[in-house]
Amino acid sequence: MNIFDFYNGHTKPYGIIGNPIEHSFSPVLQNTILQKMGFNGVYVPFRVDEKDMQKAVEGLYALGFEGLNVTVPHKISVMNYLCCIDDTAEKVGAVNTLKRTENGFKGYNTDILGLKKSFYINKIDVKGKKTMLIGAGGAANSAAVLLSQLGAEKIVFVNRTNEKAEALRKHISSFYSGETDVISFDDMYTYEKPDIVINATSVGMGEGVWESPVKESGFFKDINAVFDVIYIPWETKFLNDAKKYGCKCVNGFDMLIYQGIASYEIWHDISVSDETALEIKDALSEYFLKGGKKAVKRNEIK
Ligand code: ATR
């Protein structure tokens, strides 16, 4: 890259707001995408306190920011400061991508798009399948909306806190006509076998952590595909156990990369080719597996 062609008076600004923000992987991810796409832009991290959110969003708009990502803990509160919100983000109830419009920023949710793409490239076909979703937080919310959109036959919610699973089930049932159920962790071993299981809890997350939300690994017998939203460690105990029973196993790294590419696509109104997306993923997985990941903790990443 020739620095004179980039970072000049024409450079378009992008960024991410969150708190904390220091460990976010998004600046590496988005600047890699900008570079790969040959676009004269720059992407920077901003730590913003909750009380300053309105000023920050309005200020970044006034400064001409073309697009922003939003991460923990602002994905819900940011919705108060937008001109409009895309339908899917509305359903998820959280926004992680802002796009500049004439009237202010419009909100989108690309976590769900990243998960969708990850299912697609890893050949996890949800349509007509019985699914089990472990967790009922932010990640589970996106996953549940996606499972409904992709036409799962059934979604079974499993969560430590039953009320949160019930609330998520109620929300999803307001637009999903498939079958739903809420069960406890104790029940999952005797419950009708699902085809696909998703871990959307934080159990097992972190370098050196070796825990799984599924305590009896025999659970994985006869299950087709297993997805973990976690990617640190690269292979969680959850995936390791599932692999021993022959399940197709996918971690959260593709979801991370593709949610970033989806934000770029929204900002630029383009579609990144599968080939370019793969090049971006390869460059980032090399960085990530070589140790760049040590700077990253999943809870602090959008
Ligand atoms: P995220 O945005 O990453 O989804 P979150 O909204 O804090 O994070 O949700 C974390 C999920 O992990 C929740 O489903 C949480 O269960 P509770 O709703 O009962 O809190 C789940 N979780 C976290 N620690 C857990 C543990 N030790 N055992 C079981 N579930 C756990």
Side-chain angles (χ1 to χ4, degrees):
M1 184 181 88
N2 181 351
I3 196 155
F4 302 114
D5 294 333
F6 292 84
Y7 314 133
N8 50 36
H10 298 283
T11 303
K12 301 284 187 213
Y14 297 83
I16 177 165
I17 51 185
N19 189 8
I21 202 67
E22 290 75 10
H23 302 290
S24 172
F25 185 58
S26 290
V28 171
L29 171 56
Q30 290 297 342
N31 284 307
T32 301
I33 300 173
L34 284 165
Q35 200 176 1
K36 203 84 191 161
M37 300 303 290
F39 188 83
N40 184 357
V42 64
Y43 184 101
V44 282
F46 297 103
R47 175 194 274 258
V48 177
D49 275 353
E50 189 63 56
K51 66 174 174 30
D52 296 325
M53 271 302 282
Q54 183 166 2
K55 277 189 276 181
V57 172
E58 289 173 0
L60 290 164
Y61 187 82
L63 288 170
F65 273 67
E66 295 287 334
L68 291 163
N69 285 126
V70 182
T71 187
V72 179
H74 304 315
K75 288 186 185 187
I76 297 170
S77 67
V78 72
M79 294 167 85
N80 294 316
Y81 313 116
L82 307 178
C83 66
C84 43
I85 295 170
D86 150 87
D87 284 351
T88 298
E90 194 94 59
K91 267 188 187 151
V92 175
V95 155
N96 78 326
T97 298
L98 311 188
K99 178 182 176 146
R100 185 181 193 83
T101 74
E102 276 184 6
N103 307 317
F105 286 118
K106 177 171 179 180
Y108 296 84
N109 187 305
T110 68
D111 291 331
I112 187 168
L113 298 176
L115 183 57
K116 185 178 181 180
K117 186 80 178 191
S118 181
F119 280 177
Y120 174 73
I121 59 172
N122 291 294
K123 300 192 168 54
I124 296 182
D125 184 8
V126 167
K127 194 168 170 51
K129 301 286 167 45
K130 293 184 173 64
T131 63
M132 189 176 276
L133 177 57
I134 308 175
N141 224 296
S142 293
V145 173
L146 182 64
L147 293 175
S148 73
Q149 288 182 345
L150 293 178
E153 182 191 297
K154 180 172 182 177
I155 308 174
V156 179
F157 298 91
V158 187
N159 196 48
R160 180 179 57 182
T161 311
N162 181 267
E163 301 78 63
K164 279 172 71 180
E166 285 291 358
L168 181 54
R169 175 203 202 177
K170 191 171 168 215
H171 170 63
I172 296 297
S173 300
S174 67
F175 49 82
Y176 170 64
S177 54
E179 200 182 333
T180 58
D181 203 354
V182 171
I183 62 169
S184 71
F185 275 105
D186 290 341
D187 292 340
M188 67 191 286
Y189 307 102
T190 49
Y191 198 82
E192 178 192 18
K193 284 279 174 188
D195 302 299
I196 298 167
V197 181
I198 299 172
N199 175 35
T201 73
S202 48
V203 181
M205 181 174 69
E207 208 64 74
V209 173
W210 200 244
E211 279 176 50
S212 169
V214 177
K215 303 301 173 205
E216 294 173 26
S217 63
F219 165 78
F220 291 109
K221 189 172 179 297
D222 299 328
I223 286 172
N224 189 270
V226 170
F227 184 96
D228 200 332
V229 297
I230 296 171
Y231 48 86
I232 300 174
W234 192 259
E235 185 177 270
T236 54
K237 183 172 191 309
F238 175 77
L239 290 185
N240 186 267
D241 286 346
K243 199 165 80 177
K244 288 179 192 152
Y245 283 89
C247 309
K248 173 185 281 192
C249 293
V250 179
N251 76 5
F253 190 70
D254 285 349
M255 179 183 174
L256 171 73
I257 300 300
Y258 284 101
Q259 61 77 30
I261 293 175
S263 293
Y264 185 92
E265 291 179 326
I266 287 169
W267 294 329
H268 297 268
D269 253 326
I270 57 154
S271 173
V272 173
S273 73
D274 285 352
E275 199 188 344
T276 306
L278 268 182
E279 283 171 21
I280 292 165
K281 194 175 97 174
D282 285 349
L284 288 163
S285 49
E286 195 181 330
Y287 160 85
F288 195 81
L289 290 169
K290 270 190 179 157
K293 65 179 173 178
K294 292 202 174 74
V296 180
K297 291 180 192 151
R298 180 178 160 265
N299 251 355
E300 297 165 348
I301 300 169
K302 60 168 237 53

